[in-house]
Amino acid sequence: MRISYNWLKQFIKIDWKSDETAALLTDLGLEVEVVEAFESVTGGLKGIVIGHVLTCEKHPDADKLKITTVDLGDGNAPVQIVCGASNVAAGQKVAVATIGTKLFDKDGNAFEIKKGKIRGQESFGMICAEDEIGLGESHDGIMVLADNLVPGTPASKVFNIEVDEVFEIGLTPNRADAMSHMGVARDLKAGLLQSNVHTEFITPSVSKFKVDKRTLKIDVNIQDNKLAPRYAGVTISGITVKPSPSWLQNRLKSIGLTPKNNIVDVTNYVLHELGQPLHAFDANKIKGNKIIVKTVATGTKFTTLDNIERTLHEEDLMICDENGPMCIAGVFGGANSGVTDSTTNIFLESAYFNPVSIRKTAKRHTLSTDASFRFERGIDPEITAYALKRAALLIQEVAGGEITSDIVDIYPKKVEDFNVFLSFDKTNKLIGEELKKETIKNILASLDIKVNSITDNGLGLVVPSYRVDVQREVDVIEEILRVYGYNNIKIPNKINASVSNSSRTEEFKVQNVVANQLCSLGFNEMMANSLTTSNYIVFSEQVNSEETVTMLNPLSNDLSVMRQSMLFSALEAVSYNVNRRNSDLKLFEFGKTYHSIEGKYTERKHLTITMTGNATSENWNVAQKPSDFFLFKGYINAILSKLNIESKVKTVPVTHDVFAEGIGFAIGNEIIAEFGTIKKTLLKHFDVKQDVFFADLNWDAIQKYISNKIKLVDIPKFPEVRRDLALLVNDTVTFEQLYLVAKQTEKSLLKDINLFDVYEGKNLPEGKKSYALSFILQDTSKTLTDVQIDKIMSKLQSNFEAQLEAVLR
């Protein structure tokens, strides 16, 4: 938000330097990010002076050029200037850009006036047209000025160039009351009082407002007072639409607005002066001389000022006449009802609209205007009529005309102020310092917060309705503190802290154990936004559109729904890093997904693990090795082992359609984890060209099976024995099948089974492959004999052959 210092001084008389004022505003919570210089004409006409043309003769070598001698009033001899304007003549007073002067074009690009030769004749300056120095658009000829001007007079004095300083304030969303020059001045006055600087707060007078005649009445009908709690309007007849005077244009230019015409400029001026949006309708275009404030049917077409046809929603509040919509209330005007150069009569609107309604409409139509920005945050409902009178008087000043109706002001139910009780004890406790009661009262008074009652314990307060952010006791304390000054609170020599006796949940402890384990394996924890885009629904059938939790007032289309899967936020993180040359990633995230099932909202907890790139970093003595599926599976197994549930887990086919290949882990009939390699087609959407491994662990399910019991056993006294088998099996047989057959065959003495070689290819029958397995046998009570070992191995071989058609190689 841009605030003009000159404009601010119309409300409060202050002679402080801009940097001092900026520092005070920042201390008050209105952070001044930068202070910029403003000149109503770029360059401020520096180096341009009034010159007197003494002689003017035709150029000997150019028909369209003339050679002049000009007195610049500097006490030196007149200078020669070659000029191409057809209207230059001896005896004129003109604007001259002297040597070294910088002139600026419309884009702000500068060029310097230098001594030069034009067609062989020396030229020591430039006689200027109004467009060349930013005083107008005309280039028909040079500017011929009044005869009484004295040569040498700086042009900036003749043309009253305004110089200003503009504060760029980073306004926080809660400070709706400060979205105007009056609001900032009100805060500044409170800060000055706290600094013992007493100054008067001056608001524009509307005492001269009067009805000249009652010849043009526009009736107003409000059909929904909840959406339009207050609506006011007045007619002004006999106006002349034309460019605004320079003072008004300069005010708007200083805050970055482009002047349009005197009527529109006045509404913009009052908007930024008082914070009250206004809208001017061409009264002759209002059919039936009647304004109807209502909603219309969904699907109604309406063309706005930008000539875009929009489809209205049944909740959009519209300003209508008897023929239909004329304006989207509080957001944007219509193409067919606005002020044009031929407008002579206007209906001027000032209103207070429901902030939630305006916000929904603005977001729905992706419109953001100065008016909607203020309406949707909450303006002051008490200045509606005051701002209307202020604008009407300014329009009469700059456009003429007469007030031709009484003010229509429909305000059936007053917007109530907020009642708050302020405890002295709590105030001092939160601030950390005991403030004098009189100091507190003075600060509250400077903020227009009235003291309704006083007790030994505190104050009963009435907070004005325009302070929509101050409705609780803690809000009032914050107001007191920011005006008193955060920097004025002494820093104590010790820190007081209370120890919380609330214990962390068991779930948090388990989560912390797993997080520490993953960090020790080189993983980094990530945190992603739970809000995401609805566009991801098309990438997976498991993301159900019927379960989508949609935001009522989304900040953007990219943050319009709650996530149903944590995969896409992980891929966003991978894409962001890979595209910044950080391609070796190990990430994990504890988070939630959100679902709407049969009208009920459900949250599900997950642990997701993502890996991509190389498994090892580049090193001179170790070759880089890319991450692979089996390494990734090892990490998942390590987590399950840490949670003491690995023995309960069985392998199941993966069900999620985002995996090119993968497996699932289940306990009973409940899937606790799915992991695998993400499909190339999905990675392409995120601009990732390398393999990405992803695991989704159902944390809610895992919590049910975690075992905290640890069984301690002695180291066996008797040795273990290893035996190997090389088996020829069908290429459809998996190691898991062999593992399960072996475990069922010998449950007590078979301690471990390992696959240490797989061979497919030459010298093997078609459709066959070779598995080399090792078997670890051990009896904890005695040494195994060869007879026992041979019996077990023979039984294993027999069962492999019977159940899986495996033969010994």
Side-chain angles (χ1 to χ4, degrees):
M1 183 181 72
R2 293 173 66 86
I3 294 294
S4 157
Y5 201 13
N6 288 347
W7 200 343
L8 199 62
K9 290 176 181 177
Q10 292 181 198
F11 288 93
I12 188 166
K13 302 301 179 184
I14 182 174
D15 58 0
W16 283 18
K17 293 180 179 179
S18 60
D19 56 346
E20 295 174 315
T21 303
L24 179 55
L25 288 173
T26 299
D27 289 343
L28 289 167
L30 302 178
E31 183 181 0
V32 178
E33 297 173 344
V34 68
V35 181
E36 295 180 352
F38 168 77
E39 295 168 325
S40 56
V41 173
T42 305
L45 301 185
K46 293 182 179 69
I48 302 175
V49 299
I50 304 303
H52 183 199
V53 181
L54 301 179
T55 64
C56 179
E57 298 177 356
K58 184 177 177 299
H59 192 292
D61 297 320
D63 292 338
K64 294 185 178 181
L65 297 179
K66 296 179 181 179
I67 300 174
T68 65
T69 55
V70 183
D71 177 12
L72 299 181
D74 55 2
N76 298 320
V79 298
Q80 178 173 292
I81 298 176
V82 177
C83 180
S86 61
N87 64 330
V88 66
Q92 293 173 338
K93 298 294 176 62
V94 294
V96 179
T98 57
I99 300 299
T101 299
K102 290 185 178 180
L103 300 182
F104 297 83
D105 61 19
K106 291 181 179 180
D107 298 324
N109 300 315
F111 66 93
E112 186 176 337
I113 301 297
K114 298 179 180 179
K115 173 185 174 182
K117 281 188 176 183
I118 303 177
R119 292 292 185 93
Q121 298 293 323
E122 288 186 320
S123 184
F124 296 88
M126 174 178 167
I127 302 176
C128 303
E130 64 178 34
D131 68 323
E132 293 170 329
I133 56 177
L135 293 176
E137 301 294 329
S138 174
H139 194 70
D140 294 337
I142 62 167
M143 298 174 65
V144 180
L145 307 177
D147 287 339
N148 60 350
L149 294 178
V150 178
T153 304
S156 57
K157 292 184 178 180
V158 174
F159 296 105
N160 296 319
I161 302 303
E162 181 167 351
V163 177
D164 196 358
E165 291 172 293
V166 179
F167 302 123
E168 185 72 47
I169 295 178
L171 193 67
T172 53
N174 63 307
R175 291 304 307 277
D177 64 296
M179 292 188 295
S180 65
H181 284 76
M182 183 173 74
V184 173
R186 189 164 44 209
D187 252 24
L188 183 58
K189 177 178 178 290
L192 290 171
L193 285 174
Q194 189 58 33
S195 302
N196 292 319
V197 178
H198 297 267
T199 183
E200 183 181 2
F201 184 61
I202 305 167
T203 55
S205 173
V206 295
S207 60
K208 292 183 180 180
F209 178 87
K210 65 182 179 66
V211 178
D212 297 304
K213 59 179 71 170
R214 294 175 175 83
T215 56
L216 181 57
K217 181 183 179 183
I218 303 292
D219 294 322
V220 177
N221 178 17
I222 310 295
Q223 294 192 1
D224 192 334
N225 293 117
K226 291 183 179 179
L227 298 182
R230 188 173 188 182
Y231 190 92
V234 69
T235 63
I236 308 173
S237 302
I239 63 166
T240 301
V241 179
K242 58 184 180 181
S244 298
S246 58
W247 70 265
L248 179 52
Q249 292 196 37
N250 289 339
R251 283 283 179 265
L252 298 179
K253 287 178 182 178
S254 69
I255 59 172
L257 298 182
T258 302
K260 295 183 178 177
N261 62 54
N262 49 3
I263 307 302
V264 174
D265 290 351
V266 165
T267 60
N268 283 331
Y269 180 87
V270 174
L271 167 70
H272 290 275
E273 180 185 52
L274 305 179
Q276 172 66 56
L278 302 160
H279 189 72
F281 297 91
D282 188 324
N284 296 339
K285 297 177 182 177
I286 301 175
K287 303 304 179 183
N289 281 356
K290 190 172 185 178
I291 292 286
I292 307 168
V293 183
K294 63 177 183 178
T295 56
V296 297
T298 295
T300 301
K301 302 296 183 182
F302 178 67
T303 303
T304 46
L305 275 172
D306 53 3
N307 290 319
I308 295 176
E309 185 179 72
R310 303 180 188 275
T311 302
L312 301 178
H313 187 272
E314 61 183 5
E315 294 181 358
D316 293 337
L317 186 64
M318 305 298 297
I319 310 299
C320 307
D321 62 9
E322 289 186 345
N323 282 3
M326 298 189 298
C327 174
I328 303 178
V331 180
F332 211 26
N336 301 319
S337 63
V339 173
T340 65
D341 291 343
S342 60
T343 298
T344 56
N345 305 320
I346 64 170
F347 175 78
L348 188 62
E349 168 196 276
S350 178
Y352 174 79
F353 297 118
N354 182 285
V356 175
S357 172
I358 299 300
R359 175 173 172 76
K360 287 182 178 180
T361 295
K363 295 298 180 184
R364 191 178 295 123
H365 296 288
T366 61
L367 288 169
S368 180
T369 61
D370 283 341
S372 67
F373 180 81
R374 286 158 176 79
F375 274 128
E376 65 190 40
R377 285 161 176 78
I379 63 172
D380 185 358
E382 297 305 311
I383 67 166
T384 305
Y386 168 69
L388 184 66
K389 293 178 180 179
R390 169 65 170 160
L393 289 172
L394 284 173
I395 287 174
Q396 284 188 296
E397 178 183 336
V398 302
E402 296 177 311
I403 308 295
T404 50
S405 74
D406 292 310
I407 288 180
V408 177
D409 189 2
I410 301 175
Y411 193 22
K413 185 178 180 180
K414 186 179 184 298
V415 178
E416 297 296 332
D417 295 332
F418 310 112
N419 293 305
V420 179
F421 181 78
L422 178 68
S423 165
F424 290 130
D425 182 58
K426 188 170 183 179
T427 300
N428 295 330
K429 183 181 293 185
L430 286 181
I431 291 177
E433 187 173 309
E434 186 171 349
L435 303 185
K436 294 180 181 179
K437 294 180 180 180
E438 284 304 312
T439 299
I440 293 175
K441 292 177 186 177
N442 290 337
I443 290 174
L444 293 172
S446 69
L447 293 170
D448 291 342
I449 299 176
K450 298 177 183 177
V451 177
N452 199 29
S453 62
I454 303 176
T455 67
D456 291 338
N457 295 326
L459 304 172
L461 305 175
V462 178
V463 181
S465 56
Y466 67 80
R467 288 308 306 269
V468 292
D469 61 322
V470 184
Q471 300 184 29
R472 304 170 300 168
E473 181 182 28
V474 68
D475 298 328
V476 176
I477 295 172
E478 182 183 4
E479 289 297 291
I480 294 169
L481 180 55
R482 73 177 182 84
V483 175
Y484 181 76
Y486 293 96
N487 295 333
N488 293 326
I489 302 299
K490 297 176 183 177
I491 299 175
N493 294 325
K494 63 177 182 177
I495 297 177
N496 298 321
S498 58
V499 179
S500 173
N501 57 9
S502 60
S503 59
R504 291 180 172 178
T505 64
E506 191 65 30
E507 179 186 344
F508 177 84
K509 294 178 181 177
V510 174
Q511 183 175 313
N512 214 31
V513 167
V514 173
N516 286 337
Q517 181 188 20
L518 287 168
C519 288
S520 70
L521 294 171
F523 284 82
N524 292 306
E525 185 170 8
M526 61 170 279
M527 295 179 68
N529 199 334
S530 295
L531 294 173
T532 187
T533 175
S534 59
N535 297 335
Y536 291 152
I537 291 176
V538 301
F539 295 130
S540 172
E541 292 182 1
Q542 273 73 28
V543 180
N544 190 344
S545 60
E546 295 179 358
E547 295 185 10
T548 301
V549 179
T550 304
M551 303 302 295
L552 293 176
N553 297 306
L555 296 174
S556 69
N557 290 333
D558 291 336
L559 300 172
S560 59
V561 300
M562 305 291 285
R563 64 181 177 183
Q564 287 190 56
S565 171
M566 294 172 61
L567 167 64
F568 304 114
S569 51
L571 291 180
E572 287 174 349
V574 170
S575 175
Y576 185 89
N577 280 272
V578 168
N579 289 325
R580 286 159 180 78
R581 302 182 65 81
N582 184 25
S583 57
D584 301 333
L585 300 170
K586 291 181 178 180
L587 305 172
F588 72 94
E589 179 184 9
F590 286 97
K592 296 179 180 179
T593 58
Y594 305 85
H595 311 265
S596 176
I597 302 174
E598 296 181 353
K600 295 183 179 180
Y601 294 114
T602 302
E603 295 181 2
R604 297 171 184 168
K605 297 177 183 176
H606 298 259
L607 165 62
T608 59
I609 304 173
T610 309
M611 183 172 72
T612 186
N614 291 312
T616 56
S617 58
E618 188 176 14
N619 196 287
W620 69 273
N621 64 348
V622 178
Q624 277 191 311
K625 180 182 178 182
S627 301
D628 58 39
F629 177 83
F630 297 101
L631 173 64
F632 190 60
K633 181 185 176 185
Y635 290 139
I636 310 302
N637 285 330
I639 293 172
L640 300 180
S641 176
K642 188 74 172 180
L643 297 174
N644 202 19
I645 61 175
E646 187 179 21
S647 60
K648 304 175 185 178
V649 170
K650 64 179 180 180
T651 302
V652 296
V654 69
T655 62
H656 212 301
D657 58 1
V658 299
F659 295 114
E661 57 181 357
I663 60 174
F665 283 160
I667 298 179
N669 294 323
E670 187 169 24
I671 295 177
I672 63 166
E674 288 190 315
F675 57 94
T677 308
I678 300 299
K679 289 181 177 178
K680 299 286 187 184
T681 53
L682 181 55
L683 294 178
K684 184 178 179 181
H685 174 80
F686 290 88
D687 194 25
V688 176
K689 298 179 177 63
Q690 59 193 53
D691 287 339
V692 176
F693 305 97
F694 179 78
D696 185 357
L697 280 68
N698 184 340
W699 195 249
D700 287 321
I702 288 174
Q703 292 293 315
K704 296 185 293 187
Y705 301 108
I706 293 174
S707 174
N708 293 324
K709 296 179 180 179
I710 300 175
K711 186 177 179 181
L712 301 177
V713 295
D714 292 333
I715 296 175
K717 298 178 181 179
F718 302 97
E720 61 182 30
V721 176
R722 170 174 169 162
R723 290 289 186 271
D724 297 341
L725 289 179
L727 300 173
L728 189 65
V729 298
N730 295 327
D731 57 9
T732 57
V733 174
T734 64
F735 168 68
E736 182 184 22
Q737 292 173 296
L738 293 167
Y739 182 91
L740 292 175
V741 169
K743 279 292 187 180
Q744 291 168 357
T745 301
E746 177 56 52
K747 297 180 180 179
S748 59
L749 299 181
L750 184 58
K751 302 302 182 184
D752 194 17
I753 308 161
N754 183 46
L755 174 66
F756 64 87
D757 186 48
V758 177
Y759 177 73
E760 293 179 278
K762 190 176 180 181
N763 299 327
L764 290 182
E766 185 177 352
K768 298 290 185 177
K769 61 183 175 182
S770 174
Y771 274 174
L773 305 175
S774 65
F775 301 88
I776 306 299
L777 303 171
Q778 187 178 45
D779 189 335
T780 57
S781 61
K782 60 183 179 180
T783 301
L784 289 172
T785 65
D786 288 340
V787 173
Q788 287 177 293
I789 296 169
D790 291 341
K791 183 178 179 180
I792 293 172
M793 295 306 297
S794 177
K795 191 175 181 180
L796 284 171
Q797 183 180 341
S798 176
N799 286 345
F800 287 148
E801 183 176 352
Q803 297 182 36
L804 299 174
E805 299 180 0
V807 296
L808 196 65
R809 287 190 67 189

